[in-house]
Amino acid sequence: MNDTYVIRRMSRKEFDFAIELAASEGWNPGLNDGDCFYAADNSGFFLGLLDNEPIACLSAVKYSDSFGFIGLYIVKKSYRGKGYGSKIMNAGLDYLKGCNIGLDGVLAQLDNYKKYGFQQAYRNIRYQGLTGGKVPNNSGIIKLTDIPFEQINLYDSVFFPTDRATFLKLWLAQPDSVALGIIQEDKLVACGVIRACREGYKIGPLFANSPEFAETLFLALNTNVKAGQPVFLDIMEKNPNALALVQRYKMQPVFETARMYTQQTPALDSERLYGVTSFELG
């Protein structure tokens, strides 16, 4: 391997390179993912340079001393198979040493991830449909900006292995997005975000205490953006109610990943998890 290959941390401006690489791979990043992702851990984004040319990237976000998440693992196509990817992966793993590390791996790379100590926990499947539909009649639907953030963060805590307040605050308030919840008896019983992407929109997260609340919020999000546009929802295969939701609205599977961890699979509330926040940051 060329001795001039250097790995270092990215600046915020350089992180746009990673977003563009993700777009070139067909991952359809959100229009404002860069700011939200980078703020989650500005020490957790790595750039691989060959003769000062950026050719590889990786995110290794350390949410806490016990949990991290790897994503955006990309090497430019013309440089693959030469060891540059393994070197940047090792830099990210070294940064997250001691953490239980998660990732959403493309299926073609599962054997490769296993070499780094990752074990498959379950599949996440991306479904595509169209925005619009019938506006739900539910007086409990509110903008998440209208309730205390602490209430949202507490609700989020059962769906993610550790606190992610820094990321979540930005995610809920990002431009070109709608963040809604449902309140019943002064309690948050569902929350979700729909954001504009390079193509159409993505919904994520989508959390709800019942299939009925999930469907209501799904419709509310889809009817608060331009109708007739592609919309994507990433579901856990092991939530049958999430599968029933996407099938009810004739959404089609277009992509899937394997959620993998280096240690134990976290005890997330999968029954109420109808939409993964993102494949890049978990």
Side-chain angles (χ1 to χ4, degrees), residues 66-87:
S66 62
F67 185 74
F69 202 88
I70 279 182
L72 294 167
Y73 177 37
I74 312 171
V75 178
K76 283 186 175 180
K77 289 182 180 179
S78 57
Y79 295 97
R80 292 175 185 173
K82 300 178 181 180
Y84 301 123
S86 62
K87 193 169 183 180

Side-chain angles (χ1 to χ4, degrees), residues 95-172:
Y95 174 60
L96 297 178
K97 189 174 182 179
C99 293
N100 185 17
I101 308 169
L103 62 74
D104 274 301
V106 296
L107 301 188
Q109 291 293 321
L110 292 193
D111 289 341
N112 188 34
Y113 298 132
K114 289 176 181 177
K115 292 177 184 177
Y116 294 106
F118 289 92
Q119 296 298 319
Q120 183 172 347
Y122 51 84
R123 292 185 305 156
N124 287 323
I125 306 172
R126 174 163 295 167
Y127 280 81
Q128 179 178 350
L130 290 174
T131 57
K134 184 180 178 181
V135 179
N137 181 19
N138 188 309
S139 60
I141 297 173
I142 47 95
K143 293 181 179 179
L144 289 180
T145 52
D146 291 341
I147 64 174
F149 174 75
E150 293 73 18
Q151 188 176 359
I152 305 166
N153 197 42
L154 179 63
Y155 190 69
D156 181 80
S157 65
V158 300
F159 304 106
F160 200 74
T162 190
D163 183 81
R164 54 174 177 175
T166 300
F167 165 77
L168 193 60
K169 280 181 181 178
L170 284 176
W171 194 253
L172 298 176

Side-chain angles (χ1 to χ4, degrees), residues 30-269:
L31 299 184
N32 299 284
D33 284 359
D35 287 339
C36 297
F37 287 1
Y38 195 77
D41 177 8
N42 59 20
S43 296
F45 296 89
F46 295 85
L47 184 66
L49 301 107
L50 184 64
D51 295 329
N52 292 318
E53 177 193 352
I55 66 163
C57 63
L58 180 87
S59 61
V61 171
K62 185 181 288 187
Y63 285 104
S64 68
D65 290 338
S66 62
F67 185 74
F69 202 88
I70 279 182
L72 294 167
Y73 177 37
I74 312 171
V75 178
K76 283 186 175 180
K77 289 182 180 179
S78 57
Y79 295 97
R80 292 175 185 173
K82 300 178 181 180
Y84 301 123
S86 62
K87 193 169 183 180
I88 200 168
M89 173 64 89
N90 283 325
L93 292 173
D94 185 62
Y95 174 60
L96 297 178
K97 189 174 182 179
C99 293
N100 185 17
I101 308 169
L103 62 74
D104 274 301
V106 296
L107 301 188
Q109 291 293 321
L110 292 193
D111 289 341
N112 188 34
Y113 298 132
K114 289 176 181 177
K115 292 177 184 177
Y116 294 106
F118 289 92
Q119 296 298 319
Q120 183 172 347
Y122 51 84
R123 292 185 305 156
N124 287 323
I125 306 172
R126 174 163 295 167
Y127 280 81
Q128 179 178 350
L130 290 174
T131 57
K134 184 180 178 181
V135 179
N137 181 19
N138 188 309
S139 60
I141 297 173
I142 47 95
K143 293 181 179 179
L144 289 180
T145 52
D146 291 341
I147 64 174
F149 174 75
E150 293 73 18
Q151 188 176 359
I152 305 166
N153 197 42
L154 179 63
Y155 190 69
D156 181 80
S157 65
V158 300
F159 304 106
F160 200 74
T162 190
D163 183 81
R164 54 174 177 175
T166 300
F167 165 77
L168 193 60
K169 280 181 181 178
L170 284 176
W171 194 253
L172 298 176
Q174 63 181 292
D176 306 303
S177 73
V178 177
L180 301 175
I182 299 176
I183 295 288
Q184 296 285 312
E185 298 179 354
D186 297 323
K187 292 183 178 181
L188 187 63
V189 296
C191 71
V193 176
I194 189 168
R195 74 191 195 280
C197 296
R198 298 288 180 96
E199 178 191 5
Y201 298 86
K202 286 181 185 174
I203 294 175
L206 180 59
F207 306 144
N209 286 13
S210 72
E212 293 75 23
F213 289 144
E215 182 173 12
T216 295
L217 196 56
F218 173 82
L219 288 171
L221 293 168
N222 273 314
T223 54
N224 266 275
V225 296
K226 185 178 179 181
Q229 300 299 304
V231 63
F232 303 90
L233 178 66
D234 302 333
I235 71 168
M236 300 172 72
E237 65 164 344
K238 61 181 183 178
N239 183 342
N241 290 322
L243 180 60
L245 175 65
V246 296
Q247 290 177 339
R248 189 175 306 122
Y249 290 92
K250 296 180 171 53
M251 299 179 77
Q252 299 298 316
V254 292
F255 181 64
E256 65 181 81
T257 69
R259 175 61 63 89
M260 309 179 81
Y261 296 98
T262 54
Q263 298 176 22
Q264 74 281 358
T265 300
L268 306 181
D269 190 341

